[in-house]
Amino acid sequence: MGDIISTGGNASVREAREARAKEHTMEPGPTGWKVDKVFAGKIRSYDKWYRGARSGIDKEEIKGEVEVNELGILQDQQARTSHGGPGRALLHFAHEHYVRIEEIYKKNGAEIDFPRLVAPGFGENISTSCGMNERTVCIGDEFELGSAIIRVTQPRAPCFHLNHRFSCNDRKHLLSSTVEVHCMAGWLYAVVKPGKFKEGDEFVLKKRPLPHIPVAYAHQMVSKQEFPEEDVKLMAECTLLDPKWRKYPRNDIKNRQNRRRYLRINAHLVAISEKKTKNLVGSFIAIRL
């Protein structure tokens, strides 16, 4: 998948934002996107995993209606607080990604447990195969699903459990890193209105307040890609992003401020050194990478 980050001056950043908004503008109403399958799971211990990890990633399909409240599907469990909560109540993963992941690993000749590359291998609660993905869904999107209303809060940040689950031990081709770089990790919902939904239900768009922030754009921040500072500040202040996710742009802003301070200090040391016609001990020229 291509990069959707635009660099340059403020004008080009605004133009890129407007272009994204235009590309992702959708009128409220039926989307044609429908749920293929619904999954939930219980917490289990995995002795073969790192330090006998406990996880709720192993899920089973649920037929018929499921009830959701602010913490997600009633039958579903998460072993870690970072994997659940009101802002991370439901995990959605596009089934098309499994095909793409298999292609990537076969091309690289890397080892992975190929038979597991089917839903719900990534621990998703909702599986679709209708073109609904990180490029077509935006942060803040609010959908009516059955009698429930859910809102997109953040991209999924893949953790080490995926590497263990898929027997992916090659550090050059870790699954968690691969899906992060290619923006194929899924996304999370908050439950705005508790209710029930089932396989076959359609996602009816109620609101799209941030058409300029598709899930993939927010996800690329975790991939350590250089973002226009104007957009970083925008996401750091975006209340529709889950608070835990906003730490990434906030840390980015702090790092930029520290970098500029570092450059000023060392530029000053170099200037002093030149005036004295000899180098001060410990002074050096800083190069911005």
Side-chain angles (χ1 to χ4, degrees), residues 6 8 14 24 75-77 85 98 101 122 135 165 183 188 218-219 226 260 276 279:
S6 295
R14 285 192 291 272
H24 294 90
Q75 300 98 311
D76 199 39
Q77 294 181 344
Y98 288 111
I101 292 167
F122 269 57
R135 303 287 169 135
R165 179 169 175 75
C183 298
L188 293 138
H219 196 145
E226 189 72 14
R260 284 195 286 266
K276 293 190 174 184
N279 292 330

PDB file of all heavy atoms in Angstrom, residues 6 8 14 24 75-77 85 98 101 122 135 165 183 188 218-219 226 260 276 279:
ATOM      1  N   SER A   6       2.028  13.514   3.211  1.00  0.00           N
ATOM      2  CA  SER A   6       2.540  14.557   2.336  1.00  0.00           C
ATOM      3  C   SER A   6       3.459  15.462   3.133  1.00  0.00           C
ATOM      4  O   SER A   6       3.160  15.817   4.273  1.00  0.00           O
ATOM      5  CB  SER A   6       1.388  15.392   1.763  1.00  0.00           C
ATOM      6  OG  SER A   6       0.578  14.603   0.928  1.00  0.00           O
ATOM      7  N   GLY A   8       6.270  18.966   3.066  1.00  0.00           N
ATOM      8  CA  GLY A   8       6.416  20.252   2.413  1.00  0.00           C
ATOM      9  C   GLY A   8       5.959  21.363   3.320  1.00  0.00           C
ATOM     10  O   GLY A   8       5.800  21.193   4.524  1.00  0.00           O
ATOM     11  N   ARG A  14      -1.844  21.643   3.894  1.00  0.00           N
ATOM     12  CA  ARG A  14      -3.282  21.924   3.860  1.00  0.00           C
ATOM     13  C   ARG A  14      -3.919  21.366   2.596  1.00  0.00           C
ATOM     14  O   ARG A  14      -5.025  20.831   2.629  1.00  0.00           O
ATOM     15  CB  ARG A  14      -3.521  23.435   3.970  1.00  0.00           C
ATOM     16  CG  ARG A  14      -3.302  23.991   5.376  1.00  0.00           C
ATOM     17  CD  ARG A  14      -3.832  25.405   5.488  1.00  0.00           C
ATOM     18  NE  ARG A  14      -3.036  26.331   4.701  1.00  0.00           N
ATOM     19  CZ  ARG A  14      -1.955  26.957   5.156  1.00  0.00           C
ATOM     20  NH1 ARG A  14      -1.544  26.739   6.399  1.00  0.00           N
ATOM     21  NH2 ARG A  14      -1.273  27.790   4.392  1.00  0.00           N
ATOM     22  N   HIS A  24     -12.264  11.071   0.803  1.00  0.00           N
ATOM     23  CA  HIS A  24     -12.940  10.212   1.782  1.00  0.00           C
ATOM     24  C   HIS A  24     -14.300  10.757   2.226  1.00  0.00           C
ATOM     25  O   HIS A  24     -14.876  10.257   3.192  1.00  0.00           O
ATOM     26  CB  HIS A  24     -12.040  10.010   3.004  1.00  0.00           C
ATOM     27  CG  HIS A  24     -10.801   9.233   2.712  1.00  0.00           C
ATOM     28  ND1 HIS A  24      -9.625   9.837   2.315  1.00  0.00           N
ATOM     29  CD2 HIS A  24     -10.549   7.907   2.706  1.00  0.00           C
ATOM     30  CE1 HIS A  24      -8.704   8.920   2.107  1.00  0.00           C
ATOM     31  NE2 HIS A  24      -9.236   7.742   2.329  1.00  0.00           N
ATOM     32  N   GLN A  75     -19.667 -11.694  25.571  1.00  0.00           N
ATOM     33  CA  GLN A  75     -18.950 -12.970  25.709  1.00  0.00           C
ATOM     34  C   GLN A  75     -17.438 -12.816  25.534  1.00  0.00           C
ATOM     35  O   GLN A  75     -16.698 -13.789  25.686  1.00  0.00           O
ATOM     36  CB  GLN A  75     -19.446 -13.980  24.664  1.00  0.00           C
ATOM     37  CG  GLN A  75     -20.928 -14.308  24.758  1.00  0.00           C
ATOM     38  CD  GLN A  75     -21.743 -13.509  23.767  1.00  0.00           C
ATOM     39  OE1 GLN A  75     -21.601 -12.301  23.679  1.00  0.00           O
ATOM     40  NE2 GLN A  75     -22.602 -14.185  23.019  1.00  0.00           N
ATOM     41  N   ASP A  76     -16.964 -11.638  25.198  1.00  0.00           N
ATOM     42  CA  ASP A  76     -15.554 -11.447  24.852  1.00  0.00           C
ATOM     43  C   ASP A  76     -14.736 -11.009  26.065  1.00  0.00           C
ATOM     44  O   ASP A  76     -15.225 -10.271  26.928  1.00  0.00           O
ATOM     45  CB  ASP A  76     -15.434 -10.395  23.745  1.00  0.00           C
ATOM     46  CG  ASP A  76     -14.096 -10.462  23.028  1.00  0.00           C
ATOM     47  OD1 ASP A  76     -13.605 -11.582  22.797  1.00  0.00           O
ATOM     48  OD2 ASP A  76     -13.554  -9.402  22.689  1.00  0.00           O
ATOM     49  N   GLN A  77     -13.467 -11.464  26.115  1.00  0.00           N
ATOM     50  CA  GLN A  77     -12.578 -11.101  27.223  1.00  0.00           C
ATOM     51  C   GLN A  77     -11.219 -10.656  26.679  1.00  0.00           C
ATOM     52  O   GLN A  77     -10.794 -11.081  25.602  1.00  0.00           O
ATOM     53  CB  GLN A  77     -12.362 -12.298  28.155  1.00  0.00           C
ATOM     54  CG  GLN A  77     -13.601 -12.754  28.888  1.00  0.00           C
ATOM     55  CD  GLN A  77     -13.315 -13.932  29.807  1.00  0.00           C
ATOM     56  OE1 GLN A  77     -12.297 -14.614  29.707  1.00  0.00           O
ATOM     57  NE2 GLN A  77     -14.229 -14.186  30.742  1.00  0.00           N
ATOM     58  N   GLY A  85     -11.275  -1.907  27.046  1.00  0.00           N
ATOM     59  CA  GLY A  85     -11.695  -0.642  27.623  1.00  0.00           C
ATOM     60  C   GLY A  85     -12.690   0.060  26.721  1.00  0.00           C
ATOM     61  O   GLY A  85     -12.911  -0.339  25.572  1.00  0.00           O
ATOM     62  N   TYR A  98      -5.572 -10.894   5.001  1.00  0.00           N
ATOM     63  CA  TYR A  98      -4.941 -12.210   5.138  1.00  0.00           C
ATOM     64  C   TYR A  98      -4.303 -12.646   3.820  1.00  0.00           C
ATOM     65  O   TYR A  98      -3.204 -13.215   3.807  1.00  0.00           O
ATOM     66  CB  TYR A  98      -5.960 -13.249   5.604  1.00  0.00           C
ATOM     67  CG  TYR A  98      -6.381 -13.112   7.045  1.00  0.00           C
ATOM     68  CD1 TYR A  98      -7.667 -12.715   7.380  1.00  0.00           C
ATOM     69  CD2 TYR A  98      -5.481 -13.363   8.077  1.00  0.00           C
ATOM     70  CE1 TYR A  98      -8.061 -12.578   8.710  1.00  0.00           C
ATOM     71  CE2 TYR A  98      -5.857 -13.237   9.407  1.00  0.00           C
ATOM     72  CZ  TYR A  98      -7.145 -12.842   9.718  1.00  0.00           C
ATOM     73  OH  TYR A  98      -7.514 -12.708  11.030  1.00  0.00           O
ATOM     74  N   ILE A 101      -1.111 -10.524   3.364  1.00  0.00           N
ATOM     75  CA  ILE A 101      -0.040 -10.955   4.264  1.00  0.00           C
ATOM     76  C   ILE A 101       0.615 -12.227   3.741  1.00  0.00           C
ATOM     77  O   ILE A 101       1.842 -12.371   3.743  1.00  0.00           O
ATOM     78  CB  ILE A 101      -0.586 -11.169   5.693  1.00  0.00           C
ATOM     79  CG1 ILE A 101      -1.003  -9.821   6.298  1.00  0.00           C
ATOM     80  CG2 ILE A 101       0.462 -11.842   6.589  1.00  0.00           C
ATOM     81  CD1 ILE A 101      -1.827  -9.951   7.560  1.00  0.00           C
ATOM     82  N   PHE A 122      -6.340 -12.763  13.773  1.00  0.00           N
ATOM     83  CA  PHE A 122      -5.805 -11.563  14.417  1.00  0.00           C
ATOM     84  C   PHE A 122      -6.575 -11.180  15.676  1.00  0.00           C
ATOM     85  O   PHE A 122      -6.363 -10.102  16.229  1.00  0.00           O
ATOM     86  CB  PHE A 122      -5.800 -10.399  13.424  1.00  0.00           C
ATOM     87  CG  PHE A 122      -4.526 -10.281  12.645  1.00  0.00           C
ATOM     88  CD1 PHE A 122      -4.058 -11.336  11.875  1.00  0.00           C
ATOM     89  CD2 PHE A 122      -3.770  -9.123  12.676  1.00  0.00           C
ATOM     90  CE1 PHE A 122      -2.887 -11.244  11.154  1.00  0.00           C
ATOM     91  CE2 PHE A 122      -2.580  -9.011  11.963  1.00  0.00           C
ATOM     92  CZ  PHE A 122      -2.141 -10.076  11.196  1.00  0.00           C
ATOM     93  N   ARG A 135      -7.883   2.394   4.726  1.00  0.00           N
ATOM     94  CA  ARG A 135      -7.864   3.487   3.750  1.00  0.00           C
ATOM     95  C   ARG A 135      -9.252   4.047   3.485  1.00  0.00           C
ATOM     96  O   ARG A 135      -9.383   5.148   2.976  1.00  0.00           O
ATOM     97  CB  ARG A 135      -7.257   2.986   2.431  1.00  0.00           C
ATOM     98  CG  ARG A 135      -5.850   2.411   2.584  1.00  0.00           C
ATOM     99  CD  ARG A 135      -4.844   3.501   2.823  1.00  0.00           C
ATOM    100  NE  ARG A 135      -3.558   2.982   3.223  1.00  0.00           N
ATOM    101  CZ  ARG A 135      -2.412   3.409   2.732  1.00  0.00           C
ATOM    102  NH1 ARG A 135      -2.390   4.332   1.807  1.00  0.00           N
ATOM    103  NH2 ARG A 135      -1.272   2.931   3.189  1.00  0.00           N
ATOM    104  N   ARG A 165       1.607 -16.116  18.006  1.00  0.00           N
ATOM    105  CA  ARG A 165       0.432 -16.849  17.507  1.00  0.00           C
ATOM    106  C   ARG A 165       0.685 -17.431  16.123  1.00  0.00           C
ATOM    107  O   ARG A 165       0.231 -18.541  15.812  1.00  0.00           O
ATOM    108  CB  ARG A 165      -0.772 -15.906  17.457  1.00  0.00           C
ATOM    109  CG  ARG A 165      -2.044 -16.557  16.931  1.00  0.00           C
ATOM    110  CD  ARG A 165      -3.230 -15.647  17.174  1.00  0.00           C
ATOM    111  NE  ARG A 165      -4.463 -16.137  16.597  1.00  0.00           N
ATOM    112  CZ  ARG A 165      -5.193 -17.137  17.086  1.00  0.00           C
ATOM    113  NH1 ARG A 165      -4.790 -17.768  18.171  1.00  0.00           N
ATOM    114  NH2 ARG A 165      -6.320 -17.501  16.502  1.00  0.00           N
ATOM    115  N   CYS A 183       0.115  -0.869   7.207  1.00  0.00           N
ATOM    116  CA  CYS A 183      -1.181  -0.362   7.695  1.00  0.00           C
ATOM    117  C   CYS A 183      -2.281  -1.401   7.534  1.00  0.00           C
ATOM    118  O   CYS A 183      -3.356  -1.124   6.975  1.00  0.00           O
ATOM    119  CB  CYS A 183      -1.559   0.927   6.972  1.00  0.00           C
ATOM    120  SG  CYS A 183      -0.400   2.277   7.243  1.00  0.00           S
ATOM    121  N   LEU A 188     -10.161   0.022  15.961  1.00  0.00           N
ATOM    122  CA  LEU A 188     -10.980  -0.227  17.147  1.00  0.00           C
ATOM    123  C   LEU A 188     -12.153   0.739  17.227  1.00  0.00           C
ATOM    124  O   LEU A 188     -12.094   1.859  16.711  1.00  0.00           O
ATOM    125  CB  LEU A 188     -10.123  -0.131  18.406  1.00  0.00           C
ATOM    126  CG  LEU A 188      -9.086  -1.254  18.505  1.00  0.00           C
ATOM    127  CD1 LEU A 188      -7.764  -0.736  18.985  1.00  0.00           C
ATOM    128  CD2 LEU A 188      -9.580  -2.362  19.414  1.00  0.00           C
ATOM    129  N   ALA A 218      -3.494   7.902  10.541  1.00  0.00           N
ATOM    130  CA  ALA A 218      -3.162   7.903  11.967  1.00  0.00           C
ATOM    131  C   ALA A 218      -2.203   6.763  12.293  1.00  0.00           C
ATOM    132  O   ALA A 218      -1.306   6.902  13.129  1.00  0.00           O
ATOM    133  CB  ALA A 218      -4.435   7.775  12.799  1.00  0.00           C
ATOM    134  N   HIS A 219      -2.377   5.634  11.600  1.00  0.00           N
ATOM    135  CA  HIS A 219      -1.541   4.461  11.872  1.00  0.00           C
ATOM    136  C   HIS A 219      -0.085   4.702  11.500  1.00  0.00           C
ATOM    137  O   HIS A 219       0.831   4.217  12.171  1.00  0.00           O
ATOM    138  CB  HIS A 219      -2.074   3.260  11.091  1.00  0.00           C
ATOM    139  CG  HIS A 219      -1.542   1.948  11.583  1.00  0.00           C
ATOM    140  ND1 HIS A 219      -2.293   0.801  11.585  1.00  0.00           N
ATOM    141  CD2 HIS A 219      -0.343   1.600  12.114  1.00  0.00           C
ATOM    142  CE1 HIS A 219      -1.581  -0.180  12.096  1.00  0.00           C
ATOM    143  NE2 HIS A 219      -0.395   0.272  12.411  1.00  0.00           N
ATOM    144  N   GLU A 226       8.002  10.394   9.208  1.00  0.00           N
ATOM    145  CA  GLU A 226       8.039  11.822   9.488  1.00  0.00           C
ATOM    146  C   GLU A 226       6.746  12.481   9.024  1.00  0.00           C
ATOM    147  O   GLU A 226       6.412  12.457   7.847  1.00  0.00           O
ATOM    148  CB  GLU A 226       9.238  12.462   8.778  1.00  0.00           C
ATOM    149  CG  GLU A 226       9.482  13.898   9.179  1.00  0.00           C
ATOM    150  CD  GLU A 226      10.039  14.042  10.588  1.00  0.00           C
ATOM    151  OE1 GLU A 226      10.480  13.032  11.153  1.00  0.00           O
ATOM    152  OE2 GLU A 226      10.023  15.163  11.102  1.00  0.00           O
ATOM    153  N   ARG A 260      15.055  20.623  18.270  1.00  0.00           N
ATOM    154  CA  ARG A 260      15.359  22.026  17.944  1.00  0.00           C
ATOM    155  C   ARG A 260      16.204  22.666  19.028  1.00  0.00           C
ATOM    156  O   ARG A 260      17.117  23.448  18.757  1.00  0.00           O
ATOM    157  CB  ARG A 260      14.049  22.796  17.746  1.00  0.00           C
ATOM    158  CG  ARG A 260      13.366  22.511  16.411  1.00  0.00           C
ATOM    159  CD  ARG A 260      12.294  23.548  16.110  1.00  0.00           C
ATOM    160  NE  ARG A 260      11.123  23.350  16.940  1.00  0.00           N
ATOM    161  CZ  ARG A 260      10.056  22.640  16.571  1.00  0.00           C
ATOM    162  NH1 ARG A 260      10.034  22.054  15.377  1.00  0.00           N
ATOM    163  NH2 ARG A 260       9.022  22.524  17.356  1.00  0.00           N
ATOM    164  N   LYS A 276      36.842  31.827  19.273  1.00  0.00           N
ATOM    165  CA  LYS A 276      38.085  31.615  20.016  1.00  0.00           C
ATOM    166  C   LYS A 276      39.158  30.957  19.157  1.00  0.00           C
ATOM    167  O   LYS A 276      40.242  30.652  19.655  1.00  0.00           O
ATOM    168  CB  LYS A 276      37.805  30.762  21.259  1.00  0.00           C
ATOM    169  CG  LYS A 276      36.942  31.492  22.290  1.00  0.00           C
ATOM    170  CD  LYS A 276      36.907  30.706  23.595  1.00  0.00           C
ATOM    171  CE  LYS A 276      36.168  31.495  24.677  1.00  0.00           C
ATOM    172  NZ  LYS A 276      36.202  30.799  25.968  1.00  0.00           N
ATOM    173  N   ASN A 279      38.605  24.848  19.021  1.00  0.00           N
ATOM    174  CA  ASN A 279      37.415  24.117  19.453  1.00  0.00           C
ATOM    175  C   ASN A 279      37.343  23.999  20.966  1.00  0.00           C
ATOM    176  O   ASN A 279      38.369  23.799  21.634  1.00  0.00           O
ATOM    177  CB  ASN A 279      37.399  22.706  18.857  1.00  0.00           C
ATOM    178  CG  ASN A 279      37.199  22.731  17.358  1.00  0.00           C
ATOM    179  OD1 ASN A 279      36.547  23.636  16.839  1.00  0.00           O
ATOM    180  ND2 ASN A 279      37.762  21.756  16.672  1.00  0.00           N
TER     181      ASN A 279
END
